[in-house]
RNA sequence: GCGGAGGUCGCCAAGCCUGGUCAAAGGCGCGAGGCUCAGGACCUCGUCCCGUAGGGGUUCGUGGGUUCAAAUCCCACCCUCCGCACCA
């Protein structure tokens, strides 16, 4: 009994140890076998590997194990990512004593206090997690060749030589250029502020604001706007009377803008010389000249104007901007304010909104309409945001300019906008500034702004040639699931030049800029090639100083003469040639799997860089992506406590149960959902498989049941085919479920059906089952396999052959299943719980003959049905023939092909024979006597009496009489 | 806004490409029975509504359409989720 206990932890450790000892997953080139190189994007070592990572990894592991069994020489290496600012960011936060960070480390990651103290050193942190994660991954049991492991950044000299080479190649081939690049910038830290470094304003990025210059004497009042086309509706210009403004030379022209704007302009590569500062109130009452119309409009005070947004100057279009409308209304009714600024009440009150756009929904004066609809009271009402967005959306998409817009009259708003921008650019009345549409605050508490970095090195993703090459590679590649392909096309086309250098965090220095680092997405694009080299660095054969540009040129691109390079690098040309040989054997990557989130960045970069550096035959072959793991229906979120590390899962559920819980959770791009309850139940499922397999074979006193053995063999063949096909198409959930449940059900049915199972057949079936289970639950399968007395490792045992399935026995079983179902339905309808006798009356011979012929007919029409039936129904009463035709016409036309096949087969063998053979089983099933009769055997009169109003007996559908 | 995925019988989730045993797999939950000293273990049956004979009725986001036949194909609409750059 002890032996039937499923101790997953013991079993898993046992086999992991065995695989390691036997170096099962350590792969070397073998010319006699086709190779299959699989990779996984190295995880970032800022925390424990979690179940989301495990999900994708498990999918890859399944394929790796499957391919090995299909005779491929599989290479599955692994590495760890250290590059970037996140690790340094955590260290920073700990140094600052950030409680939230410390709490998460302690509670979610289970890091001891004294270790957290040491995390102030980012390198220590990265090492800590690398150690922890390596152990967790090993305990999870993956088919990884660990000899090739490495981590990134300059802290790994070997890896850095490779990245160095990569960037020298990119530079040499013209994929790197210099340019300018706007970023969200913290003036205090003097560095770009990414989402993770922000206290608020996540997801905000620079947007283009248009500047419109209003002449004020020799100077210009420069207003910022998203809607330059509305300049035809200007009635006045707003300033905040309390704010500080400045007059300055901007690129030689005199501008008046808020004081803060000067800094922004300077950050955006404008030459700015301040002349003087002034209060907003000084501007109030002045008159400025509008752009196209040349009208003079007043400058008026408004409290809603924020000097830190845009330029601190807003031009007023009351007809189309709810804010302007409200501010104007407020002013008209505020005597004291008018007096304070010495404004003429009459003049102000005579200002009328100028309509210049119309939409079906809001007409030509939308501000007033929307403000009333929303019940907005004054310019400080927060609902004005909503009002603005309603009007903006409607007018932008469906608006048309009215005929007071000069050359831009009667145009769709979108078109008018383009033309106005172009015109203002030409005549100098307009300009642009990049701005953050909502405030961004750096972790250090400083308000961020946009900065244009000059002299940036950029990856020239905007290059049409590069894009074309990437698209070509994509076309040649297999993408799973196929829906994801469109995503790749979209992102390849969408990318513009990418700034790849950083001044902070960990990484490999830019070869020609030693004080700058290559950022995290850019140093991890072709590193899979380095797995070939890393093995030799790890075992000491190669030293980082050997890994020169010439070295990689030869090994990876076949450039240069080995003997000459030997002199330069100090590496023997023999070793070189060996490495080149290995590289050519393994590369390219046959399959890379990741979460779908990486389509937008990493995987697209992966394609871009491969086509840039490598010749066509080394381009990636297949990419598979999958959804994002959710925990109990929620997206993973460490700070909300929604997080399960791989380590935790292994400890609670073990590797195999964790694996199938993940694998069964989703297919394609869907987000898999982890349910802990399911995982627990899966342990039970595996335990029951464990017990079943062992007990199946124990109690076997062998008996031949011919039909059922045929059935089992063929049903399993069908499963093998299904699992294999699903795996080939990366439909891993389908494969998992078929391998586990499908075969389990087959075996159950077989055992239910026969009184004495056939030992040989059963054993064969069980072995096939274990073979199919291996990619999904390797440890359990291997354990049972060895318990069955097999000496060869299941890991190395060939996958079952996909052979032709003989459907005949399956069709006959289907017939029996239907019959049993019918019987249960009758029991249910009559409310009977037990019966003493079941009489099965099968259809008369002439019906069978007629049916056989009719089934084969493509068209079932009353005329030909009658004709066929008449042919066989000699001596049968007209009434009976009529009833039978009626039934045929009702059922046959809507019969599926599958069911027709069932019938055809059943009639061929004969219902009587099938039922006789199954009698014992039926008697067991219904716990009653079973009698099989032929319709002809019963005298007509008696038959009519017992059949009553029941429909006529139909071939394949016998009459069931229960007593 | 742009791009992608999706809405199925209490819940989770197949099916949809290739229309017809689809009232719709499987799991959970729930109910009945068996096995058992007992059971959260295992086995069998049931679980939209009606029905004392295998039948009928109404279902697959909503509304149309194509078809002898639609969860499945077409059109429109509503709703949900995910990604959108210096960030891994």
């Amino acid at each position: 009994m002890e032996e039937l206990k499923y101790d997953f932890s013991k079993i898993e450790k046992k086999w992991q140890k065995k695989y390691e000892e036997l170096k099962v997953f350590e792969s070397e080139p073998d010319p006699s076998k086709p190779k299959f190189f699989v990779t996984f994007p190295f995880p970032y070592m800022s925390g424990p590997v979690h179940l989301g990572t495990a999900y994708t990894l498990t999918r890859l592991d399944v394929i790796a194990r499957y391919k090995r069994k299909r005779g491929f020489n599989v290479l599955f290496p692994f590495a760890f990512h250290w590059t970037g600012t996140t690790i340094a960011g955590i260290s920073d936060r700990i140094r600052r004593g950030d409680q939230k960070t410390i709490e998460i480390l302690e509670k979610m990651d289970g890091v001891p206090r004294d270790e957290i103290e040491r995390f102030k050193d980012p390198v220590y942190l990265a090492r800590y997690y690398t150690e922890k994660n390596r152990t967790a991954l090993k305990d999870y049991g993956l088919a990884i060749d660990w000899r090739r492991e490495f981590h990134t950044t300059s802290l790994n000299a070997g890896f850095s030589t490779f990245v160095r080479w990569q960037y020298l190649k990119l530079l040499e081939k013209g994929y790197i250029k210099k340019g300018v690049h706007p970023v969200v910038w913290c003036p205090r830290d003097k560095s770009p502020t990414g989402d993770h470094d922000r206290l608020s304003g996540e997801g905000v990025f620079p947007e283009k604001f248009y500047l419109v210059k209003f002449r004020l004497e020799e100077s210009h009042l420069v207003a910022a706007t998203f809607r330059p086309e509305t300049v035809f509706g200007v009635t006045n210009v707003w300033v905040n009377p309390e704010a500080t403004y400045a007059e300055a030379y901007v690129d030689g022209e005199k501008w008046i803008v808020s004081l803060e704007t000067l800094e922004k302009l300077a950050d955006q590569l404008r030459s700015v010389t301040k002349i003087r500062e002034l209060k907003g109130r000084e501007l109030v009452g002045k008159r400025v000249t509008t752009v196209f119309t040349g009208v003079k409009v007043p400058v008026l005070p408004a409290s809603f104007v924020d000097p830190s947004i845009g330029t601190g100057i807003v031009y007023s279009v009351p007809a189309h901007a709810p804010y302007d409308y409200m501010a104007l209304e407020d002013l008209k009714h505020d005597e004291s304010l008018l007096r304070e600024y010495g404004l003429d009440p009459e003049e102000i009150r005579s200002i009328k909104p100028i309509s210049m756009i119309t939409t079906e929904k809001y007409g030509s004066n939308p501000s007033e309409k929307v403000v009333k609809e929303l019940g907005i009271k004054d310019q400080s009402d927060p609902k004005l945001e909503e009002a603005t967005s309603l009007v903006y959306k409607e007018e932008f998409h469906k608006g048309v300019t009215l005929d007071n817009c000069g050359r831009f009259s009667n145009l769709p708003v979108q078109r008018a906008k383009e033309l106005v921008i172009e015109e203002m650019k030409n005549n100098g009345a307009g300009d642009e500034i990049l701005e953050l549409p909502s405030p961004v605050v750096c972790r250090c508490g400083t308000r961020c702004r946009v900065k244009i970095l000059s002299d940036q090195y950029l990856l020239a993703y905007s290059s049409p040639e590069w894009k074309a090459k990437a698209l070509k590679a994509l076309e040649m590649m297999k993408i799973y699931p196929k829906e994801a392909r469109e995503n790749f096309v979209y992102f390849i086309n969408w990318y513009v030049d990418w700034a790849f250098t950083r001044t902070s965090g960990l990484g490999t220095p830019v070869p020609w800029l030693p004080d700058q680092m290559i950022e995290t997405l850019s140093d991890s694009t072709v590193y899979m090639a380095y797995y070939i080299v890393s093995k030799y660095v790890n075992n000491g054969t190669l030293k980082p100083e050997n890994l020169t540009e010439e070295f990689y040129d030869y090994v990876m691109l076949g450039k240069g003469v080995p003997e000459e390079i030997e002199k330069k690098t100090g590496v023997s040309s023999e070793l070189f040639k060996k490495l080149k040989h290995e590289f050519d054997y393994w590369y390219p990557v046959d399959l890379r799997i990741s979460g779908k989130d990486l389509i937008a960045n990493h995987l697209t970069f992966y394609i871009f860089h491969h086509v840039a550096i490598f010749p066509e035959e080394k381009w990636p072959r297949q990419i598979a992506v999958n959804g994002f793991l959710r925990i109990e229906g929620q997206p993973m979120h460490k700070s909300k406590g929604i997080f399960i590390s791989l380590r935790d899962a292994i400890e609670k559920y073990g590797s195999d149960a964790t694996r199938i819980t993940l694998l069964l959770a989703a297919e394609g791009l869907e987000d898999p959902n982890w349910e802990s309850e399911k995982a627990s139940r899966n342990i039970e499922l595996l335990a029951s498989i464990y017990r079943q397999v062992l007990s199946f074979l124990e109690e076997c006193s062998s008996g031949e049941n011919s039909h059922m053995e045929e059935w089992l063999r063929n049903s399993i063949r069908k499963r093998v085919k299904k699992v294999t096909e699903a795996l080939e198409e990366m439909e891993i959930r389908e494969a998992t479920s078929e391998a586990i449940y499908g075969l389990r059900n087959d075996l159950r049915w077989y055992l239910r059906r026969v009184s004495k199972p056939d030992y040989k057949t059963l054993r064969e079936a069980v072995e096939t089952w274990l073979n199919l289970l291996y990619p999904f639950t390797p440890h359990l399968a291997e354990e049972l396999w060895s318990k069955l007395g097999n000496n060869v490792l299941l890991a190395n045992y060939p996958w079952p052959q996909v052979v032709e399935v003989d459907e005949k026995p399956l069709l006959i079983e289907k017939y029996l299943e239907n019959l049993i179902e019918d019987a249960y339905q009758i029991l249910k309808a009559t409310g009977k719980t037990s019966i003493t006798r079941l009489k099965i009356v099968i259809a008369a011979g002439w019906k069978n003959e007629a049916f056989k012929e009719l089934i084969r007919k493509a068209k079932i029409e009353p005329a030909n049905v009658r004709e066929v039936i008449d042919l066989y129904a000699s001596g049968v009463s007209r009434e009976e023939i009529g009833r039978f035709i009626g039934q045929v016409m009702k059922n046959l036309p809507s019969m599926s092909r599958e069911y027709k096949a069932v019938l055809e087969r059943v009639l061929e063998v004969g219902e009587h024979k099938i039922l006789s053979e199954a009698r014992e089983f039926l008697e067991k099933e219904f716990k009653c006597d079973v009698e099989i009769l032929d319709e002809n055997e019963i005298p007509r009169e008696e038959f009519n009496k017992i059949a009553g109003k029941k429909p006529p007996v139909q071939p394949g559908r016998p009459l069931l009489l229960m007593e």
Side-chain angles (χ1 to χ4, degrees):
Chain A
M1 209 54 211
E2 190 47 39
E3 228 185 299
L4 290 183
K5 172 117 179 39
Y6 170 58
D7 183 345
F8 59 78
S9 165
K10 205 172 126 200
I11 292 172
E12 286 166 6
K13 283 208 180 76
K14 172 181 165 187
W15 290 105
Q16 284 162 13
K17 199 167 150 241
K18 194 96 180 170
Y19 290 149
E20 198 182 331
E21 278 167 15
L22 296 174
K23 303 182 193 301
V24 175
F25 303 121
E26 295 187 4
S27 310
E28 293 298 331
D30 176 353
S32 72
K33 281 183 177 175
K35 62 95 185 182
F36 201 78
F37 184 20
V38 299
T39 65
F40 175 83
F42 41 34
Y44 198 61
M45 288 301 106
S46 58
V49 163
H50 53 76
L51 278 180
T53 310
Y55 172 60
T56 310
L57 258 175
T58 309
R59 282 164 46 87
L60 187 58
D61 190 65
V62 165
I63 297 296
R65 290 178 191 263
Y66 162 73
K67 283 283 178 184
R68 168 184 300 282
K69 286 169 87 55
R70 291 300 306 261
F72 285 88
N73 189 13
V74 175
L75 174 58
F76 179 3
F78 206 81
F80 300 96
H81 204 193
W82 288 18
T83 312
T85 51
T86 306
I87 289 174
I90 295 172
S91 294
D92 264 358
R93 267 172 270 151
I94 294 171
R95 250 179 270 131
R96 281 202 303 265
D98 183 313
Q99 284 311 305
K100 183 91 191 157
T101 305
I102 293 169
E103 198 188 308
I104 288 176
L105 285 172
E106 234 182 341
K107 290 207 176 129
M108 304 309 300
D109 296 3
V111 183
R113 266 278 165 183
D114 52 327
E115 292 284 1
I116 293 179
E117 192 55 30
R118 295 189 200 130
F119 279 11
K120 288 176 179 171
D121 172 12
V123 178
Y124 184 86
L125 188 159
R127 273 192 214 293
Y128 175 89
Y129 280 120
T130 304
E131 294 302 320
K132 291 279 177 200
N133 285 328
R134 186 193 302 110
T135 320
L137 289 164
K138 284 190 171 175
D139 289 348
Y140 190 49
L142 295 161
I144 290 173
D145 181 350
W146 282 104
R147 297 171 303 164
R148 301 164 191 271
E149 176 207 325
F150 62 84
H151 63 81
T152 65
T153 77
S154 56
L155 296 159
N156 182 344
F159 174 77
S160 278
T161 62
F162 177 73
V163 174
R164 185 186 154 78
W165 172 76
Q166 177 190 349
Y167 275 80
L168 289 173
K169 289 301 113 180
L170 290 169
L171 185 69
E172 181 187 308
K173 295 183 175 208
Y175 290 106
I176 287 172
K177 65 184 194 189
K178 254 180 138 175
V180 296
H181 181 71
V183 293
V184 177
W185 181 262
C186 171
R188 184 169 162 271
D189 290 353
K190 300 206 185 312
S191 77
T193 311
D195 264 356
H196 300 283
D197 301 325
R198 298 178 190 179
L199 274 182
S200 67
E202 236 174 274
V204 176
F205 51 93
E207 272 179 44
K208 204 184 269 177
F209 270 57
Y210 296 96
L211 300 181
V212 179
K213 301 173 194 167
F214 291 88
R215 264 269 280 293
L216 175 63
E217 292 147 20
E218 292 309 299
S219 197
H220 299 82
L221 222 50
V222 182
T225 178
F226 275 122
R227 306 183 61 190
E229 74 280 8
T230 59
V231 75
F232 292 94
V234 177
T235 56
N236 61 284
V237 172
W238 299 114
V239 295
N240 186 328
E242 304 309 323
T244 307
Y245 288 80
E247 188 168 22
Y249 285 107
V250 176
D251 291 334
E253 192 174 58
K254 256 192 196 172
W255 286 17
I256 295 171
V257 289
S258 72
L259 186 60
E260 282 133 294
T261 309
L262 291 187
E263 289 172 346
K264 290 192 222 166
L265 287 167
D267 274 344
Q268 296 186 25
L269 308 179
R270 315 293 285 251
S271 107
V272 176
T273 316
K274 187 163 79 183
I275 302 166
R276 66 180 181 111
E277 287 183 20
L278 62 154
K279 273 284 173 207
R281 60 175 61 241
E282 279 182 48
L283 296 165
V284 174
K286 294 212 166 14
R287 285 166 183 283
V288 296
T289 312
T290 60
V291 180
F292 292 108
T293 41
V295 179
K296 296 234 172 195
V297 295
V299 177
L300 299 177
S303 59
F304 78 89
V305 174
D306 182 342
S308 66
I309 295 177
T311 55
I313 293 168
V314 175
Y315 71 78
S316 168
V317 188
H320 301 282
Y323 267 110
D324 298 340
Y325 174 80
M326 245 12 264
L328 195 58
E329 286 301 303
D330 286 355
L331 187 63
K332 283 179 184 175
H333 298 102
D334 194 334
E335 288 291 343
S336 66
L337 206 65
L338 289 171
R339 223 174 305 124
E340 186 185 342
Y341 295 107
L343 297 166
D344 176 4
E346 279 311 303
E347 192 204 334
I348 302 301
R349 284 178 193 139
S350 72
I351 297 177
K352 293 259 178 310
I354 301 172
S355 295
M356 41 81 54
I357 290 170
T358 186
T359 60
E360 220 167 274
K361 192 166 174 187
Y362 295 124
S364 54
N365 197 0
S367 295
E368 193 179 345
K369 196 168 171 190
V370 173
V371 159
K372 277 185 183 146
E373 272 173 15
L374 295 179
I376 291 167
K377 298 275 179 297
D378 58 48
Q379 61 185 300
S380 60
D381 194 323
K383 282 203 292 274
L384 275 168
E385 280 298 332
E386 190 194 340
T388 303
S389 129
L390 282 176
V391 174
Y392 178 80
K393 272 190 189 146
E394 191 63 19
E395 293 196 331
F396 182 76
H397 294 287
K398 295 176 184 162
V400 176
T401 52
L402 297 175
D403 46 19
N404 55 352
C405 301
R407 287 197 298 297
F408 314 105
S409 298
N410 307 310
L411 290 173
V413 167
Q414 292 185 44
R415 181 74 190 132
K417 182 174 177 176
E418 286 164 19
L419 292 173
V420 166
I421 290 166
E422 202 189 321
E423 177 68 19
M424 289 202 297
K425 205 177 205 171
N426 291 340
N427 67 15
D431 211 319
E432 288 171 6
I433 187 172
L434 289 167
E435 175 67 305
L436 299 170
S438 55
V440 173
V441 180
C442 177
R443 272 235 159 75
C444 72
T446 312
R447 176 90 171 251
C448 296
R449 54 186 189 236
V450 179
K451 183 173 173 73
I452 295 180
L453 299 174
S454 56
D455 288 342
Q456 274 288 297
Y457 280 96
L458 306 167
L459 286 160
Y461 291 145
S462 62
S463 148
E465 290 79 16
W466 201 357
K467 282 187 197 294
K469 245 179 159 179
L471 289 168
K472 186 181 171 198
L474 179 67
E475 227 167 84
M476 292 160 57
M477 226 184 281
K478 275 194 183 155
I479 303 287
Y480 301 101
K482 54 185 187 308
E483 301 92 85
R485 180 177 294 274
E486 244 177 284
N487 281 309
F488 280 103
V489 174
Y490 175 82
F491 284 111
I492 289 172
N493 286 321
W494 171 79
Y495 266 102
V496 292
D497 297 338
W498 178 271
F500 66 92
T501 66
R502 294 290 179 277
T503 49
S504 57
L506 305 175
T508 293
V510 181
W512 57 93
L513 274 179
D515 60 333
Q516 295 216 14
M517 246 117 34
I518 293 162
E519 62 87 36
T520 168
L521 284 168
S522 302
D523 79 341
S524 51
T525 55
V526 291
Y527 71 86
M528 314 82 208
Y530 182 68
Y531 283 125
I532 315 299
V533 178
S534 64
K535 189 184 80 184
Y536 292 96
V537 178
N538 291 346
N539 70 17
T541 311
L542 285 171
K543 300 268 175 299
E545 55 269 28
N546 302 138
L547 306 177
T548 61
E549 206 184 335
E550 293 86 356
F551 169 85
Y552 287 112
D553 274 349
Y554 178 74
V555 171
M556 298 192 173
L557 301 176
K559 278 196 217 158
V561 182
E563 286 68 26
E564 277 174 29
I565 305 166
E566 177 175 338
K567 280 179 217 150
K568 279 193 184 164
T569 58
V571 181
S572 83
S573 55
E574 284 313 303
L575 181 55
F576 254 52
K577 287 176 187 163
K578 187 171 173 221
L579 265 143
K580 175 166 170 43
H581 173 76
E582 285 192 23
F583 180 78
D584 285 338
Y585 178 80
W586 291 117
Y587 226 70
V589 176
D590 292 282
L591 175 65
R592 187 166 180 81
I593 307 192
S594 92
K596 61 185 176 186
D597 52 324
L598 296 192
I599 298 174
N601 45 57
H602 167 70
L603 290 172
T604 297
F605 281 26
Y606 169 66
I607 298 173
F608 266 119
H609 285 232
H610 270 89
V611 302
I613 292 176
F614 292 106
E616 217 169 289
E617 65 270 16
K618 300 283 187 224
W619 293 357
R621 297 257 165 89
Q622 301 178 47
I623 291 177
V625 291
N626 49 250
F628 232 45
L629 190 79
R630 300 166 84 87
I631 303 287
E632 315 291 349
Q634 303 279 334
M636 255 209 258
H637 212 294
K638 246 192 200 176
S639 59
K640 287 184 194 158
I642 307 167
F643 181 87
I644 300 177
S645 71
L646 176 59
R647 167 59 64 205
D648 289 345
I650 297 170
E651 261 156 37
K652 268 194 197 147
Y653 314 105
S655 168
D656 286 344
T658 301
R659 288 169 70 101
I660 61 169
T661 307
L662 291 169
L663 294 172
L664 289 169
E667 196 83 280
L669 290 173
E670 286 165 10
D671 291 333
N673 186 23
W674 171 272
E675 291 166 281
S676 298
E677 223 186 296
K678 232 172 223 179
S680 304
R681 278 199 304 270
N682 280 335
I683 298 177
E684 290 308 316
L685 173 69
L686 296 182
S688 96
I689 289 176
Y690 182 78
R691 283 192 302 267
Q692 272 170 356
V693 167
L694 294 179
S695 60
F696 278 164
L697 300 164
E698 252 169 33
E699 317 159 359
C700 246
S701 64
S702 202
E704 257 293 328
N705 307 275
S706 60
H707 160 68
M708 278 316 288
E709 277 71 47
E710 274 304 294
W711 175 84
L712 182 61
R713 255 194 292 282
N714 282 292
S715 189
I716 285 180
R717 280 181 190 156
K718 207 167 175 173
R719 306 286 184 192
V720 168
K721 191 161 172 252
K722 262 191 168 168
V723 173
T724 307
E725 282 170 0
L727 285 174
E728 289 294 330
E729 285 305 307
M730 288 293 304
E731 285 165 2
I732 296 178
R733 175 174 62 186
E734 171 74 16
T736 312
S737 125
E738 193 68 17
I740 295 174
Y741 298 115
L743 277 98
R744 187 169 184 244
N745 289 339
D746 285 352
L747 285 162
R748 268 198 205 166
W749 180 251
Y750 174 73
L751 292 171
R752 189 173 153 194
R753 261 301 253 119
V754 302
S755 44
K756 282 187 185 165
D758 174 52
Y759 179 81
K760 195 169 151 272
T761 312
L762 193 56
R763 183 179 171 107
E764 220 178 84
V766 166
E767 291 200 344
T768 307
W769 190 20
L770 295 178
N771 202 355
L772 291 185
L773 281 176
Y774 171 80
F776 313 102
T777 58
H779 310 94
L780 173 71
E782 192 78 77
E783 171 72 9
L784 288 168
W785 178 257
S786 92
K787 273 203 151 60
L788 254 48
N790 290 295
N791 292 323
V792 56
L793 280 180
L794 184 53
N796 292 331
Y797 193 77
W799 188 252
Q801 294 265 326
V802 177
V803 294
E804 192 69 31
V805 178
D806 179 4
E807 295 278 346
K808 289 182 204 130
L810 307 184
L811 296 171
I812 286 171
E813 278 309 282
K814 183 74 194 156
Y815 161 78
L816 270 178
E817 277 168 37
N818 288 342
L819 186 118
I820 292 168
E821 207 186 302
D822 271 358
Y824 276 119
Q825 255 199 64
I826 298 169
L827 286 174
K828 188 191 154 203
T830 55
K832 286 181 187 159
T833 49
S834 70
I835 49 173
T836 56
R837 180 179 295 273
L838 171 63
K839 280 186 185 167
I840 306 176
V841 183
I842 57 183
W846 64 270
K847 288 185 182 172
N848 289 338
E849 295 309 312
F851 232 69
K852 268 195 233 174
E853 189 166 336
L854 284 169
I855 287 168
R856 291 191 207 102
K857 284 213 183 317
K859 267 204 172 140
I860 312 277
E861 279 163 358
N864 64 33
V865 168
R866 172 166 289 275
E867 193 183 307
V868 170
I869 288 174
D870 279 344
L871 204 63
Y872 294 98
S874 62
V876 179
S877 76
R878 289 189 62 80
E879 190 204 345
E880 217 186 323
I881 292 178
R883 290 219 299 160
F884 186 58
I885 291 177
Q887 196 187 22
V888 166
M889 284 314 299
K890 193 179 162 200
N891 295 329
L892 262 188
S894 64
M895 227 174 242
S896 70
R897 238 193 26 235
E898 291 83 356
Y899 188 56
K900 278 183 183 166
V902 169
L903 269 182
E904 210 171 345
R905 179 64 194 155
V906 165
L907 295 180
E908 206 175 300
V909 177
E911 286 183 80
H912 202 99
K913 184 163 183 281
I914 296 169
L915 291 170
S916 301
E917 278 175 13
R919 197 161 108 188
E920 205 180 321
F921 162 65
L922 291 171
E923 290 186 333
K924 194 171 73 182
E925 186 74 15
F926 294 103
K927 297 188 186 68
C928 69
D929 289 336
V930 172
E931 206 177 328
I932 299 148
L933 302 161
D934 195 299
E935 198 180 352
N936 290 344
E937 287 172 13
I938 308 170
R940 211 61 237 168
E941 262 179 40
E942 196 189 325
F943 180 85
N944 287 343
K945 215 162 72 193
I946 49 176
K949 285 177 300 193
K950 299 181 188 78
V953 187
Q954 189 181 309
R957 204 94 205 261
L959 182 68
L960 302 174
L961 297 167
M962 291 177 181
E963 292 166 13

